[in-house]
Amino acid sequence: MSQTLQSQLAADILHRINVQSMPVGARLSERSLAEALRVSRSPVRTALRQLAGQALIDPHPDGGFVVGQGALQVKPAALAGESADEAIYLRIAQERLDGQLPNRVSENELMRRYDITRSQLADILRRISNEGWMERLPGHGWAFTEAMTSSVAYAQSYRYRILVEPAAILEPGFIVDDAGLRQCRQEQEALANGEINNVSPAQIFDANTRLHETIAACSGNTFILDSLRRINRIRRLMEYRKAVDRQQALRRCHEHLVLIDLLLAGKLDEASTMMGTHLRDAAREKKAEA
């Protein structure tokens, strides 16, 4: 694993510790972190060792690691800024949307095009594969999966969400996921309290889609959840292409907090109305950016 990916994972782990307000001494589960960060346990273990080497987390007598005092005093942005790998990652996304990359590419072609090593490329492709917009072909090469590339389709995705997401909250089987929503609330609150200025566009996108998908899952309707996941997966690159307006992103965080509190209070009718207003406002903002 390259130093860049290791540092990014370490920063992601530190971010989760801060967002979830984990106390000193809390166990850090390799399995849970690997599932949350969508990587295998091996790179998570290496990143944990890096954090331990920086005295941010502590070893546990029975094995593994626990949150250390240092983890609560360092911001995630201090561990990983925009790296060369991040720049290449965003360039691949941009050039795919611009039609400069074919549907199928080999690793050798990508290495030559971006003048990077096989190790660097492996880290970038692992991230892209985890996010679902590229997949390894049997035997050799990689293929881009479906992605949203037109402004018309992007606008349609928001109109679909305006129809479906408010209705999901009014589904007969809707059950509030208290723990899931509170975890999302901690994440949104951290962003609203200043982290919105430090995190990457990908981290903002992930935090917001995590909340919307958590709410969709509460509906108990698998068709709603599956359709929203698919839309979020294929619109990811379009979101990366747009410049991030941090003030707009901050306003959406505050709206998310209001929405979560309505759901936790059982005010489903108000939450449904709020969801519709929130999505319509976001759609207008996105259209203005186009």
Side-chain angles (χ1 to χ4, degrees), residues 181-194:
L181 287 173
R182 289 190 187 280
Q183 183 172 332
C184 288
R185 195 186 195 291
Q186 288 179 334
E187 194 167 27
Q188 293 292 324
E189 192 169 35
L191 291 171
N193 288 340

Side-chain angles (χ1 to χ4, degrees), residues 126-147:
R126 184 184 298 110
R127 175 181 175 184
I128 293 173
S129 177
N130 288 337
E131 291 178 350
W133 52 279
M134 219 175 169
E135 60 187 11
R136 185 186 293 275
L137 293 170
H140 183 70
W142 290 75
F144 288 98
T145 56
E146 184 181 11

